Amino acid sequence: PDLAAALRELRAQYEALAARNLQAAEDWYRARCARLHERAARSQEAVRASRREAGECRRQLQARLVEMESLRGAHQSLERQLQELEERHNAEAAGLQDTIGQLEDDLRNTKNEMARHLREYQDLLNVKMALDIEIAAYRKLLEGEETLFNMGSGGLPSLNSLPSPIYSFQPRSFSSST
């Protein structure tokens, strides 16, 4: 009888210990599951936040790529404009150089023509001066003849007393600087 009671008591203790162990295991399991659920919830929230951040980064990347393409297009457009401006400037510079060359040629031709006109003018001036001298000489001769006619017939010896004019023509030469 004592053995059955001891066995019952031992069994009761064993069942109480098993119940406590089972309760402890269930509590540990529940706590562990709660922590895991909490961790999973935090991990899911972190994953959602990472996904939101990745989506935001993708949107920013797309915006930057669009901006970069826009800037690249603007850069290419500005490069084309710069090249066109350089070509137009070079063409204008070449045209101006041609105009300058033509004007220099015209200036040289005009200077040469002016020098030729000046030489012609000097030649004409020399001829005029020679003609003036010749006219003055003829005038003196005419005046001398008038005095002879006025003096009458006895003027032959007085002709020899008139000084005979000696005319010399020396053309002037003008130097022109061109």
Side-chain angles (χ1 to χ4, degrees), residues 74-92:
H75 176 73
Q76 289 172 348
S77 172
L78 289 173
E79 285 289 330
R80 278 192 307 273
Q81 287 177 357
L82 178 64
Q83 186 175 7
E84 289 171 2
L85 282 174
E86 284 177 350
E87 288 172 359
R88 199 169 36 220
H89 172 72
N90 289 339
E92 286 177 6

Side-chain angles (χ1 to χ4, degrees), residues 30-48:
R30 284 189 188 119
R32 187 78 170 162
C33 281
R35 282 195 308 256
L36 286 175
H37 282 301
E38 189 178 310
R39 269 190 190 165
R42 275 186 274 163
S43 295
Q44 281 181 346
E45 185 59 35
V47 165
R48 282 190 208 113

Side-chain angles (χ1 to χ4, degrees), residues 46-57:
V47 165
R48 282 190 208 113
S50 295
R51 284 184 182 161
R52 281 192 302 267
E53 189 176 338
E56 183 63 29
C57 287

Side-chain angles (χ1 to χ4, degrees), residues 9-20:
E9 191 179 310
L10 197 61
R11 183 179 226 182
Q13 284 177 356
Y14 210 50
E15 283 179 3
L17 184 63
R20 269 186 286 158

Side-chain angles (χ1 to χ4, degrees), residues 64-107:
R64 296 293 185 255
L65 287 173
V66 167
E67 184 179 353
M68 189 174 72
E69 286 300 316
S70 170
L71 289 174
R72 185 175 288 137
H75 176 73
Q76 289 172 348
S77 172
L78 289 173
E79 285 289 330
R80 278 192 307 273
Q81 287 177 357
L82 178 64
Q83 186 175 7
E84 289 171 2
L85 282 174
E86 284 177 350
E87 288 172 359
R88 199 169 36 220
H89 172 72
N90 289 339
E92 286 177 6
L96 290 174
Q97 286 295 335
D98 290 344
T99 303
I100 288 171
Q102 187 178 16
L103 289 173
E104 286 175 347
D105 288 344
D106 289 348
L107 180 63

